[in-house]
Amino acid sequence: MEDAGTHDACSPDLLYLKSSFLAMEPADYFISLARQSDGGSITERVQTFILEHCINSIEDKGTACNLTYMKNILKKVITAAESTHDVVVEGLYEQLAYYLTSHMDDDLLIEKNRIYRQISFLCSSGHDDKCLNSMNLVVPLQCSLNMLEGDTGCALWPSSLFLSELILSYPMTFSNKFCFEVGSGVGLVGVILKHVGASKVILSDGDMSTLENMKLNLELNHLASETMASQRICENPNMVECKHLPWESASESELQTYHPDIVLGADIIYDPLYVPHLIRVLSVLLRPLKFCSSERKAGDLSCYRCTRTTEDMNGDNSPNEAKEAPNAYIAAVIRNMETFNYFLKLAAEASLSVLDVTATMKPKNLLPYMLSYDRSSVHLYQVSFSCI
Ligand SMILES: C[S@@+](CC[C@H](N)C(=O)[O-])C[C@H]1O[C@@H](n2cnc3c(N)ncnc32)[C@H](O)[C@@H]1O
């Protein structure tokens, strides 16, 4: 993760263009932004910017999939400029010729199936209205090329972009908190949580190859990943724990040891088979510290009793006892209403309250250049244990 970079601080359009290129936005969206930058056509000025600040800025030109992307962008920029009879900057032809003749093995391309994206979160510097969106947080991530080919955890989904914007928009909610994410995928949310000063971050996923990719992404962001005892994590402020945590086999006794302040999840409610297991994991992670389990029958989460006392509410107890009940923030794109209703039904049965806070906890638009990301498709739910 890189901080506070300013490229072309006073030209948001060009900053968007570069950010779109680094995030490997689909070529057609990149071309739309390029057109917007100079009133409709891809002028010589914009072409020169693309050549110097996008194409020539990539150091690792040998990365197979990035190379394909580069070829695609160059072809589309040249075609778009030619179609409006704009002069095409010579360097663009030269670069295209270079990429077309470089002998990158197509088999390697298919085998690697990984791309490096850099996600820039753009914020106002706050000093000068003309310099909006000049402050940068850039998060490099290795992602899979195709999210639908058994690699769901290695792709970047809109809900984790949403959660990242949310965390950056409300940093005080997450700073100095112990945050636990389920179904973390590429690990973006963990990087952002560390950026805002979360005291402890545990990322988890049920898929081993996703976990390996997540650890690599933490390294790319100068964060150390650790799978060992959580004691070590406290010693290193840059440490993020990565846990193999399949919901269906996560043991209650293990989950009970964590006591996070905040649980997070992005795009995790989609497979009805796993919804009951996810609910069980959330129930245990969200159970307040002071709970009387005397009335509980085996396996029946609904008969737990919240025993927070007046002293707890007034904060008169010891710090541990006065700890606020944990909350979960779950961001979701609802693709199948039946699956989501099933989630709500099981949540209610497990005494979890699920509040739609999309309208009240709106994140800032920190990814204005990312035309492929539809923020309005994402809902935010606050989940907590309801005291009976
Ligand atoms: C759609 S992806 C979302 C990834 C990431 N949160 C994001 O939004 O970019 C769903 C994630 O949940 C994980 N997952 C799915 N089923 C799971 C299960 N039963 N136990 C643990 N993780 C699971 C997948 O491996 C994947 O990383």
Side-chain angles (χ1 to χ4, degrees):
M1 132 181 81
E2 289 167 27
D3 229 338
T6 53
H7 35 235
D8 221 271
C10 290
S11 174
D13 285 341
L14 294 181
L15 178 61
Y16 291 3
L17 199 54
K18 177 159 185 174
S19 303
S20 165
F21 178 81
L22 294 177
M24 296 191 74
E25 277 281 272
D28 288 338
Y29 290 134
F30 177 82
I31 295 295
S32 296
L33 281 179
R35 286 211 169 96
Q36 282 168 31
S37 308
D38 243 352
S41 65
I42 305 188
T43 61
E44 232 177 303
R45 182 185 84 100
V46 176
Q47 291 175 43
T48 306
F49 180 85
I50 293 171
L51 184 64
E52 290 174 2
H53 295 269
C54 300
I55 305 288
N56 290 345
S57 73
I58 299 296
E59 280 164 22
D60 186 6
K61 291 184 196 282
T63 312
C65 297
N66 291 15
L67 188 124
T68 306
Y69 183 70
M70 222 82 95
K71 268 194 272 194
N72 201 11
I73 290 281
L74 280 162
K75 276 187 208 163
K76 295 226 170 187
V77 169
I78 291 170
T79 310
E82 284 176 345
S83 71
T84 49
H85 308 292
D86 278 285
V87 172
V88 177
V89 170
E90 200 53 39
L92 290 173
Y93 287 124
E94 286 166 12
Q95 284 297 316
L96 180 60
Y98 165 80
Y99 286 115
L100 287 174
T101 52
S102 72
H103 298 291
M104 183 60 73
D105 193 340
D106 279 351
D107 289 344
L108 178 66
L109 251 174
I110 293 158
E111 190 189 310
K112 263 205 85 180
N113 206 16
R114 290 284 188 270
I115 49 173
Y116 288 91
R117 304 178 66 181
Q118 293 188 41
I119 311 301
S120 307
F121 293 89
L122 307 178
C123 326
S124 163
S125 64
H127 302 304
D128 182 350
D129 282 351
K130 288 187 193 134
C131 287
L132 284 176
N133 300 316
S134 61
M135 304 298 285
N136 253 331
L137 165 65
V138 183
V139 181
L141 293 172
Q142 175 177 277
C143 304
S144 67
L145 188 58
N146 186 345
M147 61 169 72
L148 297 177
E149 280 181 6
D151 243 355
T152 51
C154 296
L156 185 55
W157 295 81
S159 296
S160 67
L161 295 171
F162 185 99
L163 272 192
S164 300
E165 285 185 314
L166 183 88
I167 296 162
L168 290 167
S169 304
Y170 302 94
M172 298 314 288
T173 305
F174 301 91
S175 69
N176 295 316
K177 296 279 167 53
F178 168 16
C179 300
F180 193 115
E181 194 190 13
V182 290
S184 303
V186 294
L188 171 65
V189 167
V191 175
I192 302 296
L193 285 168
K194 270 289 163 192
H195 179 77
V196 301
S199 55
K200 179 171 161 182
V201 177
I202 297 184
L203 302 183
S204 68
D205 208 279
D207 179 60
M208 286 308 279
S209 64
T210 296
L211 218 54
E212 284 312 305
N213 189 57
M214 186 195 300
K215 285 181 198 166
L216 188 140
N217 282 332
L218 292 171
E219 276 165 36
L220 282 177
N221 287 281
H222 313 294
L223 293 167
S225 61
E226 184 55 86
T227 43
M228 283 161 58
S230 47
Q231 214 181 352
R232 291 262 316 269
I233 294 167
C234 305
E235 293 161 15
N236 181 350
N238 278 340
M239 192 74 88
V240 171
E241 189 174 356
C242 297
K243 287 219 73 74
H244 181 228
L245 193 104
W247 308 326
E248 56 279 22
S249 58
S251 80
E252 181 154 341
S253 57
E254 182 197 343
L255 292 167
Q256 270 175 347
T257 58
Y258 293 121
H259 304 299
D261 298 306
I262 298 178
V263 177
L264 299 110
D267 240 318
I268 50 170
I269 309 166
Y270 58 94
D271 188 339
L273 268 184
Y274 292 108
V275 167
H277 304 294
L278 174 62
I279 290 289
R280 186 182 65 85
V281 167
L282 291 176
S283 301
V284 182
L285 289 174
L286 292 173
R287 195 176 298 157
L289 266 182
K290 285 191 81 183
F291 245 69
C292 165
S293 58
S294 56
E295 291 172 56
R296 184 171 68 108
K297 298 181 201 102
D300 180 6
L301 286 168
S302 61
C303 63
Y304 276 98
R305 291 283 187 276
C306 176
T307 58
R308 287 185 86 192
T309 61
T310 326
E311 293 92 87
D312 292 334
M313 306 297 184
N314 296 336
D316 291 341
N317 265 339
S318 66
N320 209 20
E321 284 173 315
K323 195 171 164 165
E324 269 180 47
N327 265 317
Y329 292 103
I330 309 285
V333 174
I334 301 172
R335 300 183 183 89
N336 184 322
M337 205 57 213
E338 235 177 89
T339 304
F340 188 70
N341 284 336
Y342 183 44
F343 173 82
L344 291 180
K345 177 179 171 279
L346 295 192
E349 284 170 14
S351 300
L352 291 176
S353 96
V354 181
L355 279 182
D356 186 338
V357 292
T358 319
T360 47
M361 269 192 95
K362 282 190 177 160
K364 292 178 189 160
N365 177 2
L366 305 178
L367 300 162
Y369 62 88
M370 201 177 268
L371 304 186
S372 68
Y373 163 48
D374 177 10
R375 186 177 299 92
S376 68
S377 68
V378 185
H379 292 258
L380 181 67
Y381 298 95
Q382 189 173 1
V383 184
S384 58
F385 226 92
S386 43
C387 298
I388 309 164

